[in-house]
Amino acid sequence: MGRKRNQGKARKAAKAMAREEAEEVQHRSNNESMTSGQQQSLAAQTQQLQVGNASRHDTTITCLHGFDHLSEKDICFQYANAFREAYNYKNRQDCDADLSSCLIAAHKATILDKFAEVGKDSAKMEIVTSYFLSNGTQYILEGNDDSARTCTVFARWFEQCTAVGLHKTQALINRVKIDDANNPSDIHTLVKFLRKRIPCKCLDRKYKEVKDTAKLRFCYNTEC
């Protein structure tokens, strides 16, 4: 009788131990699943953040408009921001400086020294161009046309530099195209330029809004 009682206790103890082990395995599995989910969520949030400083207010951007996220340590990311800072510095220091002067000053302050390898690599130049196209597109969507215009000027500049210096498809930089990108009276050309260069459809609705707006170009006739 005592032996049966002991055997019964042993079976109950074994069942209790098995149940505790099963609960521990389940708990561990839930924790691992939660950790994995948090890591994936963090990665998704990081990817959704706008590249660089293009938008300081909206951190839930789901489309980067064709631009691949870069680390802040990436030389293309560093160059793009260094160029923008050099351009802004020249613009602040010399109120009489025209657009070309500011772009050339930024070019000399960056591409000729620390970031020379970027200027010699067409793939890197395309990344930098894509960076500003992405930023410009997002600014348009946010209604910040002035900042979008500045990013478009930069994108135009890098396109021209690549065509002249690397692809050799033209002899000189077309400054008229760069100036047109900076025209505050021509939202049509601005949106059209960006829309043609991004792979997404984020600007389709905006383009429908502005496509009937007249294109207003600068006049270069000195006698006009």
Side-chain angles (χ1 to χ4, degrees):
M1 188 71 177
R3 186 174 59 185
K4 290 184 178 180
R5 185 182 300 110
N6 290 336
Q7 289 177 345
K9 290 181 179 181
R11 284 196 295 271
K12 288 182 179 180
K15 288 181 180 179
M17 184 177 297
R19 184 166 54 252
E20 289 176 358
E21 290 178 354
E23 289 175 352
E24 183 179 351
V25 170
Q26 182 64 35
H27 181 68
R28 190 185 308 119
S29 176
N30 290 339
N31 285 340
E32 291 175 352
S33 177
M34 183 178 298
T35 300
S36 177
Q38 290 173 341
Q39 291 175 342
Q40 292 175 1
S41 177
L42 179 59
Q45 292 173 15
T46 301
Q47 182 67 14
Q48 288 173 349
L49 289 176
Q50 185 177 16
V51 181
N53 300 318
S55 175
R56 298 179 181 275
H57 305 291
D58 186 355
T59 57
T60 57
I61 298 167
T62 57
C63 180
L64 294 179
H65 316 301
F67 180 74
D68 293 329
H69 182 76
L70 291 178
S71 164
E72 292 185 2
K73 296 181 180 180
D74 188 282
I75 191 168
C76 294
F77 179 89
Q78 293 178 354
Y79 169 62
N81 283 281
F83 184 92
R84 177 165 48 192
E85 290 174 3
Y87 173 92
N88 290 336
Y89 178 80
K90 174 65 176 179
N91 201 25
R92 289 193 304 268
Q93 294 297 111
D94 187 354
C95 297
D96 296 326
D98 59 16
L99 179 63
S100 294
S101 298
C102 292
L103 290 170
I104 292 172
H107 179 79
K108 290 181 177 179
T110 53
I111 207 71
L112 300 181
D113 188 14
K114 181 179 178 180
F115 301 102
E117 67 175 272
V118 178
K120 297 176 182 178
D121 190 327
S122 60
K124 286 185 172 61
M125 289 292 280
E126 289 176 3
I127 290 174
V128 175
T129 302
S130 178
Y131 171 92
F132 286 113
L133 291 174
S134 173
N135 281 215
T137 297
Q138 190 58 40
Y139 274 133
I140 287 289
L141 296 175
E142 294 174 359
N144 190 342
D145 294 348
D146 289 340
S147 295
R149 198 169 287 111
T150 300
C151 288
T152 302
V153 166
F154 293 162
R156 269 291 196 191
W157 170 261
F158 291 120
E159 282 187 351
Q160 292 291 310
C161 288
T162 302
V164 173
L166 297 174
H167 295 162
K168 310 296 183 182
T169 53
Q170 60 190 63
L172 299 171
I173 289 177
N174 189 331
R175 300 188 185 278
V176 173
K177 289 186 176 181
I178 297 174
D179 286 341
D180 284 342
N182 197 43
N183 187 347
S185 301
D186 191 359
I187 186 66
H188 182 160
T189 300
L190 176 65
V191 175
K192 183 179 180 180
F193 173 85
L194 292 169
R195 178 173 174 265
K196 287 176 63 177
R197 286 164 172 76
I198 58 175
C200 59
K201 297 182 179 181
C202 292
L203 288 181
D204 285 5
R205 178 181 298 180
K206 183 65 177 180
Y207 183 68
K208 289 180 181 179
E209 296 176 7
V210 303
K211 68 178 182 179
D212 293 329
T213 305
K215 295 181 179 181
L216 301 175
R217 301 293 180 85
F218 288 122
C219 180
Y220 296 91
N221 186 347
T222 57
E223 298 180 358
C224 181

